Amino acid sequence: MLSVDDMEDLEVFVPGLSDTTISYTTTCDTEGGELDEATSYTIAGVKSNYATISNMTMLIGDFLTDDNDENKEKYCVLGYTAAKEIFDSAYSAYGDVVYIDSRPYVVSGVLDEMGSVASGISPDTTIFIPYETGIKYITGSSISPTITVIAEDVNNVDTVIENVETVLADSYPNAEFTISDAGTKMEAASSSNQTLQLLLYSMAAIVFVVGGIGIMNVLFVSVKERTNEIGILKALGCSKKDILLEFLFEACFMSLIGSVLGVMAALAITPVIENFSVTVVLSTSGAALSLAFGVLTGTIFGFYPAYKASSLIPIEALNQD
């Protein structure tokens, strides 16, 4: 099992490090605030430099200090989502008390919303406590901590990894360690994100074509059924432009209604999807883009049927059965 001594050995014997920290996670029942019953949260035992290494910023208050850790004080820092769930407001959480494993912890600060994973921990839903405090009051010595090191030069990451492996091998000759490079993870995540974007673009293109063809067919049927009506309108003096705009507006309105129904369906199924531990982020700009996409689809695919309708000859249209 890794320890603080191992972290200090890496600081001394591995050149090219700008910072190191050690952390562990567990789950524990938490009470307090507006919670009606004990709720399980991820508890992270961390050192004072964890926030800096993980690029976390404070919304309010301060992160844990070295004194909190050395004196095994019962202070905690709440992730943004955890603070809102427990206290209904991130700002209300500051200075209040939460009960972790039935012991009171003063909330010394609340993190800014991150929406990402830092060193294997999802900060928004995590409660952070001093490293030694967690060992004394919650986990005991039965932890599997993670040591995080930061290389001074990203070009020397491979060398740093080799040196870390050498130092750990000297301390634990028969042990196996999992050493991962955050840069490699980011490249893999970026590749996956590009693949996902390509799939989404493909789906959008398919929806655009299929939906557009559907609108076009409906309009062609409408034009055929209303041929006599079009002939009457032209006989009464309606211009080709008037007929074109009438059917074009009809196509846009039809696609707009479909877009509104699609947005409403998305709002309805979001809570169901979130029950499967999938994070769904809805935005006003996304809804507006959906509506604009629908209108654009109706305009493009509705133009040809509208043009055909406006091009009908009045006498032929009136005589159409």
Side-chain angles (χ1 to χ4, degrees), residues 22 24 43-52 56 58 60-70 72-78 100 105-111 126-134:
I22 188 169
Y24 60 86
I43 309 297
V46 299
K47 293 293 185 178
S48 60
N49 62 345
Y50 182 86
T52 302
M56 297 190 302
M58 302 300 299
I60 187 172
D62 300 305
F63 200 72
L64 306 169
T65 66
D66 288 332
D67 287 340
N68 295 154
D69 191 44
E70 292 171 6
K72 301 178 178 62
E73 297 173 340
K74 292 192 283 293
Y75 284 91
C76 69
V77 170
L78 303 183
I100 304 173
Y105 287 73
V106 177
V107 179
S108 64
V110 177
L111 295 173
T126 299
I127 300 175
F128 298 87
I129 62 175
Y131 188 92
E132 297 296 341
T133 301

Side-chain angles (χ1 to χ4, degrees), residues 144-164:
S144 298
T146 298
I147 294 178
T148 304
V149 300
I150 305 296
E152 290 179 345
D153 186 350
V154 294
N155 296 318
N156 296 331
V157 169
D158 291 338
T159 303
V160 168
I161 291 176
E162 291 177 4
N163 291 334
V164 168

Side-chain angles (χ1 to χ4, degrees), residues 89-155:
S89 166
Y91 290 97
S92 299
Y94 176 59
D96 212 319
V97 174
V98 295
Y99 292 84
I100 304 173
D101 198 22
S102 301
R103 292 185 177 90
Y105 287 73
V106 177
V107 179
S108 64
V110 177
L111 295 173
D112 270 325
E113 187 173 14
M114 290 186 65
S116 61
V117 175
S119 302
I121 298 173
S122 223
D124 291 344
T125 57
T126 299
I127 300 175
F128 298 87
I129 62 175
Y131 188 92
E132 297 296 341
T133 301
I135 292 176
K136 178 177 180 179
Y137 294 109
I138 298 177
T139 64
S141 58
S142 59
I143 56 173
S144 298
T146 298
I147 294 178
T148 304
V149 300
I150 305 296
E152 290 179 345
D153 186 350
V154 294
N155 296 318

Side-chain angles (χ1 to χ4, degrees), residues 3-59:
S3 66
V4 174
D5 291 337
D6 296 316
M7 180 191 73
E8 293 172 349
D9 285 344
L10 294 178
E11 290 177 337
V12 173
F13 297 113
V14 177
L17 295 183
S18 62
D19 207 352
T20 63
T21 193
I22 188 169
S23 60
Y24 60 86
T25 60
T26 185
T27 56
C28 202
D29 284 343
T30 302
E31 299 174 281
E34 304 299 321
L35 293 177
D36 296 326
E37 57 184 6
T39 304
S40 181
Y41 278 94
T42 298
I43 309 297
V46 299
K47 293 293 185 178
S48 60
N49 62 345
Y50 182 86
T52 302
I53 285 181
S54 301
N55 295 319
M56 297 190 302
T57 56
M58 302 300 299
L59 175 68

